[in-house]
Amino acid sequence: MTETIAIASDHAGFALKGVLKLELESLGYAPLDLGTHDTASVDYPDYADKLAQAIKAGKAARGVLVCGTGIGISIAANRHREIRAALCQDVTTARLSREHNDANVLVLGGRIVGEEVARECLKAFLATPFAGGRHVGRVAKLAKP
């Protein structure tokens, strides 16, 4: 069965979201595109919320978010208890976000990270398992109300 990956962006992340959507397809994943669908100005919290709701509803277990810097949309996503969104700017942070933090949402800045680096971050994020061990207790604390 093909894993569904939710993906969303604001207007500043729209172009990079398109690149990442194609990369997901080429890797054999089924992207669930939650918008935005053009470059008209929109509010990034709305798209972070859509992605969080899709994960909460079980439509996808993991996701990708993109805004101009990645900062705003990651803050908005992390307001949701079921989300562990990691803002990454290179392959090392993408890998460690999975290994150490069991991140379920990769966040990238469309105006910060180039397309090739973004593709490599995505691949590392999707391929890296959670290491568990000493990190389990720390990650469990993130889910506390």
Side-chain angles (χ1 to χ4, degrees):
M1 184 172 185
T2 303
E3 182 181 355
T4 298
I5 306 290
I7 187 166
S9 72
D10 71 355
H11 56 283
F14 174 72
L16 185 57
K17 179 183 69 120
V19 168
L20 296 173
K21 184 177 172 183
L22 290 174
E23 187 68 23
L24 285 168
E25 291 169 347
S26 76
L27 294 170
Y29 293 94
L32 173 61
D33 189 343
L34 300 169
T36 192
H37 299 292
D38 58 39
T39 58
S41 184
V42 295
D43 297 330
Y44 59 80
D46 297 337
Y47 293 89
D49 290 349
K50 286 181 182 191
L51 186 132
Q53 293 306 320
I55 289 176
K56 186 175 182 178
K59 294 178 182 175
R62 299 189 280 178
V64 179
L65 289 169
V66 188
C67 73
T69 63
I71 297 168
I73 208 163
S74 66
I75 292 169
N78 280 315
R79 295 184 60 160
H80 297 269
R81 180 84 41 220
E82 59 277 350
I83 300 300
R84 290 177 308 283
L87 175 56
C88 300
Q89 296 180 344
D90 55 45
V91 172
T92 301
T93 53
R95 179 179 53 80
L96 291 173
S97 76
R98 290 285 310 128
E99 277 184 17
H100 294 183
N101 310 110
D102 198 18
N104 59 355
V105 176
L106 172 65
V107 183
L108 298 165
R111 295 176 177 154
I112 305 297
V113 177
E115 290 180 9
E116 189 57 37
V117 171
R119 281 194 285 271
E120 293 303 313
C121 287
L122 179 64
K123 288 187 240 180
F125 182 84
L126 294 171
T128 304
F130 178 47
R134 71 181 196 269
H135 306 291
V136 171
R138 296 170 187 156
V139 171
K141 288 180 179 183
L142 298 173
K144 288 184 179 179

